[in-house]
Amino acid sequence: KFKPETDQVVVGSRAPDFRVVDLASGDSVSLRERYKGTVTLVNIWATWCVPCRLEMPSMQRAYARLKPRGFRIAAVSVDEGAPQDVRAFARELGLTFDLMQDRSTLIQQKFQMTGVPESFLLDHNGMIMKREIGAREWDSPVNVALINRLLDDAGAPKLPPADTAGTYQFAPR
């Protein structure tokens, strides 16, 4: 029986593990270890990619809205240049989610990508629940509902109702 050399990276399969550089700490980190037990959007992108730049604000809005429930974003740049260039791009766009870099660009082979941006929404078990080729509006009602459902499945805390200004008010413990 024919056995492919590598497992297919498809919805329903476990996301491949890969080591990248965390741009906040400069450390090499395992994506699987870092995001174990969390609902995570792995977004593979580059600073020179126009659709990536267009997609990032929606990722930031989704992250800001769902971070209190434990939602994480691992944005992995495949820029071959200096890390400070990627950090400058993130500062310009006001990004606060986790930024990583793979200067080798080998992550593109590991995730069997066709180009950038490409995104993989993982459940808390590291399974690929959604794979998107190209830019998406991650804060759209459909995507937010999917992420919330995955967070519910993971036992994430519920958000309290928004106040009239649209910000969340947390009761002191």
Side-chain angles (χ1 to χ4, degrees), residues 109-128:
Q109 291 173 10
K110 190 83 167 182
F111 276 78
Q112 301 168 3
M113 291 175 55
T114 59
V116 289
E118 199 157 326
S119 300
F120 303 83
L121 182 60
L122 311 182
D123 73 3
H124 68 285
N125 294 314
M127 302 300 287
I128 299 170

Side-chain angles (χ1 to χ4, degrees), residues 51-67:
C52 300
R53 177 179 285 273
L54 296 173
E55 176 180 55
M56 290 283 179
S58 76
M59 290 169 50
Q60 179 61 42
R61 290 188 300 270
Y63 178 69
R65 180 172 176 184
L66 298 168
K67 178 184 176 186

